Amino acid sequence: MAAPSSSAASAMLAINEKKPSAPLDLYRPLRNYITMHYSEREAQNLEDDLETVKTLRSSLERSSSESLDVRRDLLQTYFKTLTLMESRFPISPEKDHVNTLTFTWFDAFKPKHKAAQQNIHLEKAAVLFNLGAVHSQIGVSADRASASGLKVACNAFMAAAGAFAMMKEGVASKASVGQSSCTVDLSVECAGMLERLMLAQAQECFFEKVVSEGRAPGVCSKVARQVGLYYEETYAALSSAPLTQHFDRGWTSHVQLKAALYYAEACYRCSLELHEKEEIAEEIARLKCGITALADGKKSAKGVAPQILDAVNRLESNLNANLERAVKENDRVYLMRVPAASSLSSLPTYSLVKPTPLNEVLDASKEKLFATLVPDSSAKSLSKYTEMVDDIIRTQAEKLQQASELTRVRLKEMDLPDSILALEGHSSLPMDLKEDVEAVQISGGPSGFEAELQQLRDLRRVNQELLVQTEELLEKESREDSQFRTQFGTRWTRPQSSTLTKNLQDRLNRFAGNLKQAADSDARIERAVKDQLSLMAILDRRPFSILPFLTFHPFEMLYAVYAFMKEIQKSGGLPLFLGEQIESALPTLARPMMSLDGNEDAIVGALKQSLRQLETLGAQRAGLEDMLKEMKRKDDILPKLMTYNGSYDDLFRKEIAKYDSISEEISQNIEAQEQLLMQIQAQNDEFAAVFNLEDYKASREKSYKQIAAAISKFREIKDNINEGLKFYVTLQDAITNVKQQCSDFVMTRNIQCREMIEDVQRKVAGLNFQDHKSGGGGSYSSSYSSVGQQTHPNQRTTTPPPPEPQNLPHPSHSHPPYYQPAQPPMASGYAHSRSPYVMPQQPVPPYQAPHSNNPYPPPQPQQQPPASHEYGQPAYPGWRGPYYNAHSQQPGSHPPPPYGFPGPYPPPQSGYYKQQ
């Protein structure tokens, strides 16, 4: 019945852009500021950014020859660049600021007016105004005859409204520091008016849409009424200061007529709905109101676009036709009283539009321009925010850790899940005891004692053999010396071997005594190993390893171990790689022999289920802690901080709020755990009562003590064996040293023996020659003469020389001599030969470990005695035998018992080798 509204062809308003007064160079002032406040190197690094700013400003100054979409993108990019510049470059007349830049812009509606300011707020306001203007031009240029064009126009008008709303809320107020310094088009009032105008045109697009789709008259009426309201608000702003007289009269007429048109349109659509309801009286009243509104609007229609006038005339014709028809129907049929216009209720509205927020589109936090320039104020603000985040992270992490620690302690107090594992026959050792058992096995275990005892036997045998070999050297030399002494009688004036080797013999005797005591200690060790082997045998079993489960969460690991044990039980035994386990020797928790109600399985099942839930909560806490760390890692608000124009405290409150949800999850997790622990406590009390847990714990503790006693005994025997091994090694070095001294002594005595034999033979030969001469060639009565007899130098002996001693030892090392030659020189002659062992040296025990105070002092330079054939002297000049000038042993000193050696091997306080 009603014809479609012709408002689809109605004209809409587009806004022209503001124009800058002249080209502006941003490059040089900004670069100078960077050089002055940062460095020349920083300015060089930012050359590309400075060139970008220069290019953007130059493109903005050119005439609008580009397409509207390109122009829109340019304005958005330049606005984000200005936002970055605002936080890094203070532009003002002050000395330390960028004070050579002046931004100048003309008024968009009064081009003769212009504003110039030395701050970036005017530039940002002008760019944001132009962005809204370009969006309005995109909306007006769209083809609203098609559904897609209608959508483009509607979105463009809402985007324009968003630009003017953003301008009104912040930028315009900063730019309008005074009426004399800013044009009217950038005022807060103008921005508000333009926002309403753009919303009116966007709602008008929706009205065109619902009409074209044939929606119900009531819906169309509500949409149309909201269009009229937006235009009415726009007209009110245009009629108020400072916008009065600032806009062209055609603007005011356009807005005023559009307000009347859409009010009348709402009345028309509402009357159609009333007619369908047969509410003829109100229908007539609404039609009259619409006609009156159009008549008033047409009075100020001077300068309005013809399309709008055509739409008004068509709507007015439809209103009059419907009014005439309704009046006839009321007069003939309904006979209702028509209400007065003042008594009618307001028409309902339905707004379908709102300003499109441009915060995301104009967000400069992700831009990379001037990223390296961070002012001190921003750095300090960032530090404050970081402290706030750190405090939240620290607080929540402590809550999580305390919850996990509480769970661990409570489970340990309840002996869980060990008691459940014990019920399945899989007891476990405490961690400290398990580590001790593993340490015992790493060191060889009780099964390795036999090899170590054999090593003790072998070392003892080697020492005994060395001792016998050394004693045989001295005995052989002593026998040879006795033979020559018997052969030559008084002519054999060399000191007896027994007087020279007393010190060595004493040391060898002491070594023999040490070996005997050591053998007794070895026997005691072997008896201890034999006696305690049954106690220590358990240590050869390997403890169950949880290394395959260490990648699990702590609670999850316990149940992974439990599941692993169950699989072992099903398979009929332990895997081969584990061997016999020490846990198998531990007592297990047995089921009660008699059950009254048979609910043991239910009790165990409920407890296991609760523990699994506790495990799930623990895994959630681990995930929450990781989320906290990840949130902190990604929480970088510096870009937002550098582009935010409001209060930093407001920004901080907004940003810190993102941690509220995870903090709430943590609180819920901890609360759920507390409830679950109480439930587990009650279930565990019931479990302990049914399965007689106290007796099992007592039996288990007894087993632990037995294992600890075995470990203690193993360590005691191991220490004594190690002590014995050290003793034998040290004693072997000492005996080897003495053996070398004996070899040197024997070699020296053999050399002296040969020289003395030759000398005695010469003397005997000389005496024989003298006797022959005086006796007229009589025979010699003896082969050897006394020491005081005269000898003939050419005398020869007829007695063959005795055979030399066989198997003379040879020196085998180059160690310094242990004893020094006599200090004062001695006179020649056999009758007064001195004893080189007047002060024999106190021997160092064979197990004396080497240290800084060497028991054998290094040789001291001595004065060489005159050459002679005294056989208590060195065999050749410069020779230093190790058995001369020795110090005598201190009276009353005795060698310490075996293994009681000082130095790095202190005498043990207990064991089989302790000092007697």
Side-chain angles (χ1 to χ4, degrees):
M1 181 175 65
S5 172
S6 61
S7 60
S10 64
M12 292 186 179
L13 295 177
I15 304 169
N16 294 325
E17 293 184 58
K18 292 171 64 66
K19 303 294 183 182
S21 63
L24 183 65
D25 178 23
L26 295 177
Y27 174 88
R28 182 55 54 187
L30 298 182
R31 195 185 192 285
N32 292 339
Y33 180 85
I34 296 172
T35 303
M36 180 182 302
H37 291 83
Y38 295 92
S39 65
E40 174 61 27
R41 181 176 180 179
E42 190 70 32
Q44 293 175 1
N45 293 337
L46 295 173
E47 282 289 343
D48 293 342
D49 295 350
L50 293 171
E51 287 292 342
T52 299
V53 173
K54 180 180 179 181
T55 302
L56 289 173
R57 174 67 185 191
S58 300
S59 300
L60 190 69
E61 293 167 354
R62 293 195 296 267
S63 59
S64 303
S65 58
E66 306 94 345
S67 66
L68 292 175
D69 291 342
V70 172
R71 189 72 176 173
R72 177 199 61 200
D73 295 341
L74 172 64
L75 290 167
Q76 290 177 172
T77 302
Y78 185 55
F79 185 85
K80 290 187 285 187
T81 302
L82 291 174
T83 303
L84 295 174
M85 290 171 53
E86 181 180 6
S87 61
R88 292 165 172 84
F89 301 100
I91 300 175
S92 74
E94 296 185 18
K95 181 179 180 181
D96 294 336
H97 292 183
V98 181
N99 53 17
T100 59
L101 279 177
T102 301
F103 300 100
T104 305
W105 288 86
F106 291 103
D107 193 301
F109 305 104
K110 296 287 185 181
K112 293 182 180 181
H113 299 170
K114 67 178 179 179
Q117 294 183 13
Q118 281 184 289
N119 66 66
I120 204 168
H121 303 304
L122 177 63
E123 185 86 349
K124 290 183 69 177
V127 171
L128 198 57
F129 180 94
N130 284 353
L131 181 60
V134 169
H135 276 297
S136 72
Q137 295 171 26
I138 293 174
V140 169
S141 63
D143 181 12
R144 304 199 309 275
S146 64
S148 59
L150 195 62
K151 181 178 180 181
V152 169
C154 184
N155 290 335
F157 288 133
M158 286 192 292
F164 292 121
M166 186 175 180
M167 177 180 164
K168 177 188 69 176
E169 292 168 0
V171 181
S173 59
K174 293 180 180 180
S176 301
V177 291
Q179 289 295 328
S180 59
S181 60
C182 189
T183 52
V184 175
D185 58 347
L186 297 183
S187 64
V188 175
E189 294 81 3
C190 184
M193 182 272 296
L194 295 176
E195 176 192 3
R196 296 288 99 184
L197 175 62
M198 294 300 107
L199 288 177
Q201 297 186 156
Q203 182 81 7
E204 189 174 349
C205 292
F206 266 107
F207 174 76
E208 295 174 1
K209 181 176 184 297
V210 296
V211 170
S212 64
E213 293 175 352
R215 297 294 182 90
V219 174
C220 296
S221 174
K222 293 177 182 178
V223 175
R225 184 66 190 109
Q226 185 62 55
V227 175
L229 286 178
Y230 281 137
Y231 276 119
E232 290 174 12
E233 292 172 357
T234 305
Y235 176 74
L238 285 171
S239 303
S240 304
L243 305 184
T244 306
Q245 307 299 325
H246 189 76
F247 286 84
D248 185 84
R249 176 61 186 170
W251 269 63
T252 306
S253 300
H254 175 93
V255 171
Q256 187 177 8
L257 187 57
K258 277 290 187 79
L261 173 64
Y262 278 96
Y263 175 75
E265 189 75 53
C267 292
Y268 173 71
R269 301 293 171 176
C270 182
S271 68
L272 295 178
E273 184 179 38
L274 292 171
H275 184 80
E276 293 176 357
K277 297 177 181 179
E278 296 184 352
E279 297 179 5
I280 303 300
E282 186 177 352
E283 177 189 3
I284 295 172
R286 295 294 181 184
L287 290 171
K288 289 182 178 179
C289 289
I291 294 171
T292 303
L294 288 178
D296 292 341
K298 290 171 67 175
K299 294 178 182 178
S300 59
K302 184 178 180 180
V304 176
Q307 299 94 322
I308 301 178
L309 291 176
D310 290 342
V312 168
N313 292 332
R314 284 192 292 272
L315 179 58
E316 186 177 20
S317 175
N318 291 332
L319 288 169
N320 288 325
N322 285 359
L323 177 61
E324 182 180 356
R325 182 205 59 198
V327 169
K328 290 181 179 180
E329 291 179 358
N330 187 44
D331 291 342
R332 296 176 182 175
V333 179
Y334 298 103
L335 303 174
M336 293 183 180
R337 185 176 65 84
V338 177
S342 59
S343 65
L344 296 175
S345 61
S346 299
L347 290 172
T349 62
Y350 185 19
S351 178
L352 296 173
V353 297
K354 63 180 179 180
T356 301
L358 298 183
N359 293 328
E360 184 175 352
V361 176
L362 301 180
D363 182 18
S365 60
K366 297 180 181 179
E367 300 297 317
K368 303 301 181 182
L369 287 177
F370 308 114
T372 59
L373 297 182
V374 180
D376 292 340
S377 59
S378 298
K380 291 177 180 178
S381 299
L382 178 63
S383 176
K384 179 181 178 181
Y385 176 77
T386 303
E387 290 178 1
M388 295 170 64
V389 173
D390 289 343
D391 183 62
I392 292 177
I393 299 296
R394 182 172 53 254
T395 301
Q396 299 304 320
E398 287 177 356
K399 288 182 179 179
L400 292 172
Q401 293 170 2
Q402 290 172 1
S404 297
E405 181 64 18
L406 174 64
T407 302
R408 187 190 67 80
V409 172
R410 293 287 298 277
L411 288 178
K412 185 174 180 61
E413 291 174 351
M414 292 183 282
D415 203 25
L416 290 173
D418 292 342
S419 57
I420 294 180
L421 294 175
L423 182 62
E424 303 293 336
H426 306 299
S427 300
S428 61
L429 289 176
M431 186 56 65
D432 55 348
L433 198 59
K434 177 177 175 293
E435 291 175 353
D436 289 343
V437 173
E438 290 177 344
V440 167
Q441 293 176 350
I442 290 173
S443 64
S447 60
F449 277 157
E450 181 58 34
E452 294 178 350
L453 291 175
Q454 184 59 45
Q455 190 176 2
L456 279 178
R457 300 185 196 106
D458 293 341
L459 286 173
R460 186 172 68 247
R461 177 181 52 78
V462 169
N463 278 277
Q464 289 171 343
E465 291 175 355
L466 282 173
L467 190 60
V468 170
Q469 293 171 6
T470 306
E471 290 174 343
E472 288 176 351
L473 282 175
L474 296 182
E475 290 174 0
K476 182 179 179 182
E477 193 280 329
S478 179
R479 288 195 305 270
E480 291 174 351
D481 182 68
S482 298
Q483 291 175 3
F484 288 122
R485 192 172 303 281
T486 302
Q487 180 180 353
F488 293 105
T490 58
R491 291 186 181 90
W492 195 261
T493 60
R494 189 175 64 165
Q496 294 184 6
S497 295
S498 60
T499 61
L500 299 178
T501 61
K502 183 178 182 304
N503 186 24
L504 294 175
Q505 289 289 356
D506 291 342
R507 296 178 68 184
L508 294 177
N509 292 336
R510 191 159 56 249
F511 292 160
N514 289 343
L515 279 174
K516 183 178 182 305
Q517 295 182 30
D520 296 339
S521 297
D522 293 346
R524 287 195 297 272
I525 292 178
E526 293 189 12
R527 286 195 302 272
V529 172
K530 182 178 179 180
D531 295 341
Q532 304 296 334
L533 192 57
S534 59
L535 172 65
M536 296 185 295
I538 194 173
L539 300 180
D540 283 326
R541 300 183 179 185
R542 298 186 64 82
F544 175 68
S545 176
I546 62 172
L547 290 178
F549 309 102
L550 291 182
T551 57
F552 291 96
H553 185 270
F555 298 121
E556 184 181 355
M557 178 187 69
L558 295 175
Y559 290 98
V561 173
Y562 171 75
F564 181 68
M565 288 297 191
K566 291 290 289 182
E567 292 300 323
I568 291 174
Q569 188 181 34
K570 291 178 182 178
S571 63
L574 294 171
L576 294 177
F577 68 89
L578 286 177
E580 189 176 6
Q581 292 180 323
I582 193 173
E583 285 83 359
S584 62
L586 298 177
T588 58
L589 182 61
R591 292 178 175 270
M593 297 182 63
M594 297 183 62
S595 176
L596 297 178
D597 49 11
N599 64 340
E600 294 87 353
D601 292 338
I603 293 173
V604 174
L607 185 55
K608 289 180 181 178
Q609 180 63 28
S610 297
L611 289 174
R612 292 191 190 97
Q613 294 175 5
L614 190 65
E615 169 198 346
T616 302
L617 291 175
Q620 289 176 357
R621 283 199 302 277
L624 290 172
E625 188 170 2
D626 292 339
M627 287 177 59
L628 277 173
K629 295 177 181 178
E630 185 66 14
M631 287 182 66
K632 179 183 177 182
R633 186 182 66 83
K634 294 182 177 180
D635 192 6
D636 180 16
I637 68 162
L638 181 59
K640 294 181 180 180
L641 196 65
M642 298 288 289
T643 58
Y644 191 73
N645 296 322
S647 171
Y648 285 160
D649 291 337
D650 294 339
L651 176 63
F652 292 165
R653 281 192 295 271
K654 178 181 177 182
E655 292 296 325
I656 211 73
K658 59 176 167 280
Y659 293 94
D660 293 344
S661 60
I662 191 170
S663 298
E664 181 63 25
E665 289 184 40
I666 291 173
S667 299
Q668 293 175 359
N669 180 283
I670 294 174
E671 183 178 354
Q673 175 182 276
E674 292 176 355
Q675 298 295 327
L676 189 56
L677 283 174
M678 294 174 61
Q679 176 180 321
I680 290 174
Q681 180 69 61
Q683 293 172 342
N684 189 64
D685 292 343
E686 186 178 5
F687 174 82
V690 170
F691 289 91
N692 197 11
L693 196 58
E694 292 302 322
D695 290 347
Y696 160 72
K697 289 182 179 179
S699 177
R700 184 185 60 183
E701 290 301 321
K702 182 179 178 180
S703 298
Y704 290 165
K705 290 179 180 178
Q706 290 176 351
I707 295 175
I711 293 172
S712 177
K713 183 58 65 176
F714 172 86
R715 288 174 174 171
E716 178 184 348
I717 295 176
K718 184 74 172 178
D719 291 343
N720 281 284
I721 290 177
N722 290 338
E723 190 179 344
L725 293 173
K726 292 177 184 177
F727 164 75
Y728 281 124
V729 171
T730 306
L731 182 61
Q732 183 176 345
D733 292 340
I735 295 177
T736 301
N737 187 12
V738 173
K739 180 181 178 182
Q740 184 62 51
Q741 294 179 19
C742 292
S743 298
D744 293 346
F745 171 77
V746 170
M747 182 187 69
T748 302
R749 294 281 287 181
N750 287 335
I751 294 173
Q752 291 176 348
C753 177
R754 286 193 295 269
E755 291 180 352
M756 190 171 184
I757 290 172
E758 292 174 0
D759 190 56
V760 170
Q761 289 176 347
R762 284 196 300 271
K763 288 182 179 181
V764 170
L767 289 174
N768 289 341
F769 177 78
Q770 183 66 30
D771 291 342
H772 176 74
K773 182 177 180 180
S774 62
S779 62
Y780 292 106
S781 61
S782 176
S783 299
Y784 300 97
S785 62
S786 63
V787 177
Q789 293 175 327
Q790 289 292 108
T791 61
H792 195 278
N794 297 324
Q795 183 180 5
R796 297 180 182 271
T797 179
T798 59
T799 306
E804 294 185 2
Q806 300 298 317
N807 301 324
L808 295 178
H810 298 280
S812 60
H813 65 88
S814 58
H815 293 297
Y818 293 91
Y819 301 92
Q820 301 297 336
Q823 187 75 8
M826 301 294 295
S828 302
Y830 303 129
H832 299 88
S833 64
R834 63 165 181 84
S835 175
Y837 293 91
V838 176
M839 294 293 289
Q841 183 180 3
Q842 168 67 30
V844 178
Y847 39 82
Q848 174 67 47
H851 51 77
S852 58
N853 298 325
N854 194 329
Y856 306 109
Q860 302 296 327
Q862 303 292 339
Q863 181 179 1
Q864 297 294 335
S868 69
H869 295 289
E870 182 180 5
Y871 299 107
Q873 293 298 317
Y876 50 88
W879 180 86
R880 295 292 183 266
Y883 309 107
Y884 293 88
N885 197 29
H887 299 286
S888 62
Q889 184 175 354
Q890 297 297 328
S893 63
H894 300 282
Y899 310 159
F901 45 90
Y905 311 109
Q909 300 301 320
S910 63
Y912 302 101
Y913 291 92
K914 67 182 295 184
Q915 187 170 350
Q916 302 297 321

